């Protein structure tokens, strides 16, 4: 049974989905050491933003195959380490978009009308109206930094409030911005023109400290800044200083560089409103993100494509249905080529001919590499880390595609180059069944149903097959079927004996001693 650890508080709707097909443990508020000590028992981990999925956690998760993030930001997960170890990371990028946008708008109004301060004052027994006089947002300029999912939803809502919209986002097309009726401009210009600034960028190296002392020197003294994206985007000390010096009117902060946090210099300023990372905290958003991620985890263990992979290529259900039988084929062809080859591997060529060439072959490549390298390493290799693993080993991987194929509708050919030469194996799928059709220069047709295979290269001459089968017979090894490919009559030939039992080294030596036998290799598929 698949075991899933839910380490942060997620909606029961998501947990119910998981419970239908997996064993779920919900263990909240685990200390890092506690998480590390138990993670080895689980196949999947599901978190929100509180649990830090560090290198140490991932290394201890020896069975982990997938990490789900019920939300959009994955800055609490060491994606690089997960990728290195072939662990798929999925998130739920859209479920909380509206809630985050609405919270940003709510904070903008809270700032414009001093709502939290007035609330606290009245409850403290004061009736102060003049001090809490605010501003309308109508006709004010809203500067949106990051016009992605949340930024765009903020724009749509602010348009209804009759605000002028400007944005800074170097990765958004002018066309998209104009559809949202937003004027794109450089950051400096936005900082100078905006009455309200709202941040909606991820926390990455290039955005850390995006709004610091220098930027705060450009803004209007009345500007109000909202950060519902990530702590760390604004230099907090620079912000507090600018507010104290009346160079910034106020700020609303939902996110902090370290969370949870209950003490901060930000909390001392009357002009700074804070909420404890509530952007996505609505019943609607939590149901959506939890069910989204839970469904992806269930799909993943069913071998179905996941909807929002963070570190794996996206593959559609339709493409997967077509490629599925070829995934097994690529893996078996790789396994066979790897066992037939000798010497130090330097390069791998994977060729797709025919119909297959029209598809995204990333997953086929990963399956082939898993087949090839799985024979010589116990490292987990999959679509997530296949490129990394081969690059680290200094093995070059080349893919080739040809839309036409002479005798088959699709053909996968793997060619391994080693210090001793080149090994080529090709196969196809017919009626959902793998057919190995080529080994080096020999063409034949074999359906490998598993078990042991003796590959023997010899000169095609009478009596040779019976000489080899005498060795297997004497060793009480049963032959279930035989395939032969030859270059020409009485020329060089390849014999494949499918065996019910393995042959010992000693029997292989006896076969090699038969005159006209050039090679004898036992393969297990
Ligand atoms: P998104 O990926 O859809 O959008 C991010 C946008 O930022 C993209 O358009 C990108 O082009 C832009 N961008 C990247 N680097 C930039 C830079 N240096 N300058 C300007 N723009 C840049 O992400 P999203 O779903 O809109 O989420 C935005 C942020 O909000 C994320 O950090 C996310 O984690 C956070 N978030 C917080 C909450 C919350 O509870 N407070 C909820 C949801 C999302
Ligand atoms: C997110 O990145 O999705 C948000 O920060 C929401 C959250 O996890 O609380």
């Amino acid at each position: 049974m698949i075991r899933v650890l839910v380490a942060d508080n997620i909606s029961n709707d998501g947990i119910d989905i998981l419970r239908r097909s997996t064993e779920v443990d919900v263990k909240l508020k685990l200390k890092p050491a506690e998480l590390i000590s138990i993670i080895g028992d689980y196949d999947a981990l599901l978190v929100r933003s509180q649990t830090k999925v560090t290198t140490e956690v991932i290394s201890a998760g020896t069975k982990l195959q997938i990490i789900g993030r019920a939300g959009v930001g994955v800055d609490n997960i060491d994606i690089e380490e997960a990728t290195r170890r072939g662990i798929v990371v999925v998130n739920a990028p859209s479920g909380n978009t509206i809630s985050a946008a609405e919270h940003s708008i709510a904070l903008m109004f809270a700032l414009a009308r001093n709502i939290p301060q007035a609330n606290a004052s009245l409850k403290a027994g004061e009736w102060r109206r003049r001090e809490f006089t605010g501003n309308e947002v109508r006709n004010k300029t809203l500067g949106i930094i990051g016009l992605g999912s949340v930024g765009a939803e903020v724009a749509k809502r602010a348009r209804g409030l009759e605000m002028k919209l400007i944005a800074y986002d170097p990765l958004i097309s002018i066309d998209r911005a104009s559809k949202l009726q937003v004027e794109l401009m450089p950051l400096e210009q936005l900082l100078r023109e905006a009455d309200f600034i709202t941040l909606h960028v991820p926390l990455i190296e290039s955005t850390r400290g995006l709004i610091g002392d220098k930027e705060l020197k450009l803004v209007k003294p009345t500007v109000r800044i909202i950060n519902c994206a990530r702590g760390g985007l604004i230099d907090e000390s620079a912000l507090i200083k600018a507010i104290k010096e009346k160079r910034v009117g106020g700020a609303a902060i939902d996110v902090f560089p370290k969370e949870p946090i209950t003490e901060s210099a930000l909390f001392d300023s009357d002009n700074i409103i804070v909420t404890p990372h509530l952007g996505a905290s609505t019943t609607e958003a939590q149901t959506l993100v939890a069910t989204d991620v839970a469904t992806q985890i269930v799909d993943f263990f069913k071998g179905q494509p996941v909807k929002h992979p963070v570190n794996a290529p996206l593959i559609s259900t339709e493409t997967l249905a077509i490629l599925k039988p070829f995934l097994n084929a690529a893996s078996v062809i790789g396994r066979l080529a790897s066992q037939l080859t000798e010497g130090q591997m330097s390069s791998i060529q994977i060729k797709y001919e025919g119909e297959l060439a029209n598809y995204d072959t990333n997953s086929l490549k990963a399956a082939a590499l898993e087949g090839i390298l799985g024979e010589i390493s116990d490292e987990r290799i999959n679509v997530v880390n296949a490129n990394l693993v081969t690059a680290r080993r200094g093995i070059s991987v080349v893919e080739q595609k040809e839309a036409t194929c002479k005798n088959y509708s699709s053909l996968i050919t793997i060619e391994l180059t080693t210090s001793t030469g080149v090994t080529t194996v090709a196969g196809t799928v017919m009626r959902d069944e793998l057919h190995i059709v080529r080994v080096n220069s020999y063409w034949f047709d074999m359906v490998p149903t598993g078990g042991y295979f003796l590959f023997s290269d010899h000169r095609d001459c009478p009596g040779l097959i019976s000489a080899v089968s005498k060795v297997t017979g004497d060793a009480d090894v049963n032959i279930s079927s035989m395939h032969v490919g030859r270059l020409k009559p009485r020329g060089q030939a390849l014999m494949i004996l499918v065996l019910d039992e393995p042959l010992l080294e000693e029997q292989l030596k006896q076969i090699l001693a038969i005159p006209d036998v050039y090679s004898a290799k036992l393969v297990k598929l």
Side-chain angles (χ1 to χ4, degrees):
M1 187 74 157
I2 303 293
R3 295 194 68 194
V4 183
L5 174 64
V6 176
D8 283 333
N9 201 1
I10 74 153
S11 152
N12 282 336
D13 301 276
I15 294 174
D16 289 346
I17 290 175
L18 289 170
R19 287 222 159 105
R20 277 177 224 143
S21 58
T22 68
E23 192 183 312
V24 185
D25 286 336
V26 180
K27 297 188 178 180
L28 309 179
K29 296 190 177 160
L30 291 170
K31 298 213 168 69
E34 290 171 328
L35 177 57
I36 288 168
S37 72
I38 61 167
I39 193 67
D41 296 337
Y42 294 94
D43 306 281
L45 171 65
L46 206 169
V47 297
R48 256 185 87 181
S49 53
Q50 195 136 328
T51 298
K52 307 292 171 238
V53 189
T54 58
T55 312
E56 293 72 29
V57 172
I58 293 171
S59 316
T62 44
K63 283 170 66 188
L64 264 190
Q65 295 187 52
I66 183 165
I67 300 169
R69 160 72 165 100
V72 53
V74 284
D75 43 324
N76 56 323
I77 300 170
D78 187 336
I79 302 291
E80 237 172 76
E81 186 60 20
T83 305
R84 219 173 58 70
R85 292 182 181 268
I87 299 169
V88 175
V89 179
V90 295
N91 70 347
S94 54
N96 60 30
T97 301
I98 302 297
S99 291
E102 287 185 359
H103 196 60
S104 309
I105 297 283
L107 290 178
M108 179 173 73
F109 274 120
L111 280 171
R113 304 301 293 268
N114 304 305
I115 295 168
Q117 297 90 333
N119 173 65
S121 162
L122 182 52
K123 285 183 176 171
E126 302 167 342
W127 184 260
R128 293 156 63 199
R129 297 179 68 202
R130 207 165 51 86
E131 293 90 327
F132 296 127
T133 303
N135 293 104
E136 287 187 355
V137 299
R138 183 177 57 136
N139 293 335
K140 299 293 182 308
T141 300
L142 175 63
I144 304 172
I145 301 180
L147 198 57
S149 311
V150 180
E153 293 301 330
V154 167
K156 284 187 206 163
R157 281 150 185 78
R159 209 169 57 226
L161 300 172
E162 299 180 57
M163 298 184 83
K164 179 183 176 210
L165 303 175
I166 58 177
Y168 166 63
D169 188 330
L171 304 173
I172 286 288
S173 70
I174 295 178
D175 192 39
R176 164 89 178 132
S178 66
K179 278 198 184 113
L180 291 165
Q181 297 172 32
V182 177
E183 184 190 345
L184 286 174
M185 58 179 61
L187 180 61
E188 290 73 21
Q189 190 182 347
L190 177 146
L191 293 170
R192 285 196 177 92
E193 291 186 13
D195 298 303
F196 292 87
I197 294 173
T198 183
L199 284 98
H200 301 290
V201 294
L203 180 67
I204 46 178
E205 261 340 283
S206 62
T207 58
R208 193 177 290 280
L210 187 68
I211 304 298
D213 200 34
K214 185 166 95 23
E215 289 70 28
L216 293 174
K217 287 199 169 116
L218 303 176
V219 298
K220 292 182 183 177
T222 50
V223 75
R224 276 111 162 180
I225 302 174
I226 301 136
N227 184 9
C228 246
R230 276 294 176 268
L233 295 173
I234 301 179
D235 175 343
E236 288 182 352
S237 335
L239 178 68
I240 292 166
K241 188 164 176 273
I243 288 180
K244 217 180 246 165
E245 293 171 4
K246 301 204 181 321
R247 289 186 283 110
V248 164
I253 308 291
D254 182 49
V255 282
F256 304 86
K258 277 220 169 72
E259 295 178 6
I261 183 174
T262 49
E263 276 177 33
S264 161
L266 293 170
F267 303 174
D268 300 334
S269 168
D270 284 345
N271 295 321
I272 299 179
I273 298 169
V274 288
T275 47
H277 202 145
L278 292 184
S281 294
T282 61
T283 316
E284 294 83 353
Q286 285 315 305
T287 302
L288 284 173
V289 293
T291 53
D292 182 342
V293 168
T295 306
Q296 291 188 72
I297 291 177
V298 170
D299 285 349
F300 172 81
F301 286 111
K302 276 197 215 148
Q304 313 259 321
V306 288
K307 242 181 16 195
H308 303 299
V310 172
N311 62 347
L314 194 63
I315 174 166
S316 70
T317 316
E318 296 74 30
T319 306
L320 187 77
I322 292 161
L323 296 188
K324 210 167 182 182
F326 286 96
L327 291 175
N328 172 55
S331 170
V332 176
I333 296 167
R335 261 199 343 259
L336 177 55
S338 183
Q339 290 183 60
L340 289 177
T341 205
E342 264 163 21
Q344 204 66 39
M345 202 178 298
S346 57
S347 73
I348 299 169
Q349 193 195 66
I350 310 166
K351 190 170 174 185
Y352 315 94
E353 289 168 87
E355 262 174 52
L356 266 191
N358 299 318
Y359 293 93
D360 178 341
T361 50
N362 256 319
S363 52
L364 290 173
K365 177 170 83 171
L369 294 179
E370 177 264 314
I372 298 163
L373 300 176
E375 288 299 318
I376 45 180
S377 147
D378 51 13
E379 193 165 14
R380 181 186 346 188
I381 298 150
N382 60 18
V383 74
V384 176
N385 67 354
N387 286 337
L388 270 181
V389 172
T390 45
R392 212 177 49 239
R393 289 165 181 268
I395 299 171
S396 78
V397 181
V398 179
E399 282 186 290
Q400 234 188 314
K401 289 185 181 183
E402 246 170 58
T404 55
C405 184
K406 223 165 134 201
N407 296 316
Y408 303 97
S409 61
S410 287
L411 188 70
I412 301 178
T413 306
I414 295 181
E415 200 171 280
L416 302 184
T417 305
T418 69
S419 49
T420 61
V422 177
T423 303
T424 308
V425 178
T428 187
V429 172
M430 288 186 255
R431 289 175 298 280
D432 275 352
E433 216 169 36
L434 163 65
H435 291 243
I436 300 284
V437 296
R438 179 184 171 194
V439 167
N440 297 328
S441 313
Y442 304 104
W443 288 87
F444 52 92
D445 191 336
M446 173 179 82
V447 177
T449 44
Y452 299 94
F453 299 79
L454 173 70
F455 281 76
S456 148
D457 218 356
H458 61 263
R459 192 172 67 82
D460 178 29
C461 59
L464 197 131
I465 293 174
S466 62
V468 173
S469 58
K470 177 158 186 339
V471 177
T472 59
D474 289 350
D476 196 28
V477 168
N478 198 34
I479 299 172
S480 65
S481 62
M482 188 181 95
H483 305 266
V484 184
R486 60 183 183 178
L487 300 184
K488 59 173 192 205
R490 306 262 173 171
Q492 207 165 317
L494 176 74
M495 171 170 63
I496 307 162
L497 294 183
V498 187
L499 308 173
D500 288 340
E501 294 87 22
L503 282 170
L504 301 175
E505 199 54 47
E506 183 192 316
Q507 288 131 16
L508 287 174
K509 276 190 190 143
Q510 287 172 22
I511 293 171
L512 274 170
I514 298 170
D516 294 321
V517 170
Y518 309 129
S519 72
K521 194 130 200 172
L522 187 72
V523 162
K524 185 171 187 304
L525 292 177

